[in-house]
Amino acid sequence: MTVAQPNFSQQARFVVGFDLGTTNSAVTYVDTEEEPWRIRTFLVPQLVAPGQVEARETVPSFHYQPAGGEMAGDALRLPWSQQSPGYCVGFLARDQGTAAPGRLIASAKSWLCHTGVDRTADLLPWHNAADVERLSPVEASGRLIAHVRAAWDHRFPEHPLAEQDLVLTLPASFDEVARELTVKAAARAGLSRVVLIEEPQAAFYAWIDAHSEDWQQRVRPGQKILVCDIGGGTSDFTLIRVRGEAGGKVRFHRVAVGDHLILGGDNFDLALAQHLEKRLTNDGRLEPRQWSVLVRSCRRVKETLLGGGAPERLTVHLPAAGSRLIGGGVQLEVTRDEVR
């Protein structure tokens, strides 16, 4: 098998890969004028604290609308805009939303494939604060994509993203409605030249690229390759068969895709939160505000304690119960072995 270069449009300078994730999104690109082609990560500028912009390898897929007076007038302003948009996405959105979940939209991608609701209706945040503007899953996803587009155009003003070839990933198990809504979200961000690719397939291509010098020696005709993609909101399983061809070459043929499974990192967070809730309440229940903060905190705990070079333990802080907004907060120590 030879891995041919895709037949994209001739006028585009860049081929851009956009992994629109449930929890984190990432962007890579290839400059077609380079020889040989090289995959590079696009560092996305975003707010990491009020008034502080940094370029990061990922964009947390979160949308946050602050309360009136919560931040200074220009705290949400980005380098490419003259005024604040009134909301933010990325690291600041994720971190601010931990303490104020009623102002946070998370896991919008999971809502794109939720057949039990009108996916084009303004329903997020699901448990919103009274003064928060509700958005549809399509609009929330579109705002995240629009942020990346603005960041790209700021970096490459002579080659705007709308004129490049954009490859957008989605779960292999997405139904046709979810696929169309993903394209619609990109269109809302002004991006109409979109090629969709299934995430397990993209992961397999990445494996081939990572082993470009010897992948032919790692596979043989008759093999079956199972790709397991455990994401933030869904888990995808794809089975690929290796077939032999003349001249000793091989061809990859996808033979099966797992059923749609809305199970992923979000569920890890919930499971850990339920475990810690029992410790905190002796098998009782936390107040809704405390529970929401705990779930968001468990994401950080999971990523930290299950990551490389993890510490032995972390401390989780929760707000006070009831009307006691100042003082009386709760804290709990969580060990790495416990999370595992």
Side-chain angles (χ1 to χ4, degrees), residues 214-237:
D214 66 345
W215 67 263
Q216 294 94 335
Q217 286 72 53
R218 293 171 176 262
V219 299
R220 63 181 184 275
Q223 272 186 326
K224 289 186 285 290
I225 301 169
L226 178 64
V227 183
C228 304
D229 175 16
I230 302 178
T234 58
S235 292
D236 262 337
F237 304 93

Side-chain angles (χ1 to χ4, degrees), residues 18-26 46 58-62 90-91 94 109 144 232 299 303:
F18 196 138
D19 178 12
L20 180 63
T22 303
T23 307
N24 291 286
S25 296
Q46 59 198 285
T58 61
V59 185
S61 304
F62 296 82
F91 277 90
R94 184 194 68 186
K109 180 177 175 179
L144 179 67
R299 176 200 50 75
E303 293 177 355

Side-chain angles (χ1 to χ4, degrees), residues 259-314:
D259 292 336
H260 186 56
L261 184 63
I262 307 179
L263 183 68
D266 288 350
N267 304 94
F268 297 171
D269 301 343
L270 288 169
L272 180 58
Q274 289 174 341
H275 168 72
L276 297 181
E277 182 185 40
K278 292 178 180 179
R279 283 185 51 189
L280 286 164
T281 63
N282 293 321
D283 290 333
R285 292 291 181 90
L286 292 170
E287 290 191 353
R289 184 169 63 97
Q290 290 180 307
W291 167 254
S292 295
V293 173
L294 178 61
V295 172
R296 301 300 170 207
S297 298
C298 283
R299 176 200 50 75
R300 177 182 62 86
V301 170
K302 173 195 68 180
E303 293 177 355
T304 302
L305 293 184
L306 297 183
E312 290 289 338
R313 60 194 72 245
L314 278 181

Side-chain angles (χ1 to χ4, degrees), residues 9 56 91 155 160 162 171 182 186 220 222 236 244 256-257 275 318 323:
S9 56
R56 300 287 181 88
F91 277 90
R155 167 83 180 278
T182 302
R220 63 181 184 275
D236 262 337
V257 174
H275 168 72
L318 299 181
S323 60

